[in-house]
């Protein structure tokens, strides 16, 4: 596999943040990764790392 192809495979996964304003005025930020496509999952499996980098993060401000 070429480096160019590997970069294409790795470029599809993103981190997404959803922001919600609560009734009490505080703001909830939820951040998580998109689901890894099969080719990306194969790369993660070969490297022995989690296919959901960063996990889910919740922060209330």
């Amino acid at each position: 596999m070429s480096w160019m192809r590997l970069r294409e495979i790795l470029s599809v996964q993103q981190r997404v943040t959803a922001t919600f304003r609560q009734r009490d005025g505080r703001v909830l930020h939820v951040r998580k990764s998109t689901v890894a496509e099969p080719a990306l999952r194969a790369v993660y499996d070969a490297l022995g790392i989690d296919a959901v980098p960063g996990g889910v993060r919740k922060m209330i401000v």
Side-chain angles (χ1 to χ4, degrees), residues 33-61:
S33 298
T34 57
V35 176
E37 294 181 2
L40 182 56
R41 184 171 287 281
V43 171
Y44 286 148
D45 290 344
L47 295 173
I49 58 177
D50 188 10
V52 185
V56 175
R57 307 260 186 220
K58 297 178 185 178
M59 184 174 73
I60 298 176
V61 181

Side-chain angles (χ1 to χ4, degrees), residues 14-48:
Q14 299 180 2
R15 293 281 288 170
V16 179
T17 303
T19 303
F20 306 94
R21 184 162 305 278
Q22 298 179 330
R23 291 183 186 145
D24 63 3
R26 296 183 302 168
V27 179
L28 171 65
H29 302 281
V30 179
R31 186 160 174 84
K32 67 183 288 186
S33 298
T34 57
V35 176
E37 294 181 2
L40 182 56
R41 184 171 287 281
V43 171
Y44 286 148
D45 290 344
L47 295 173

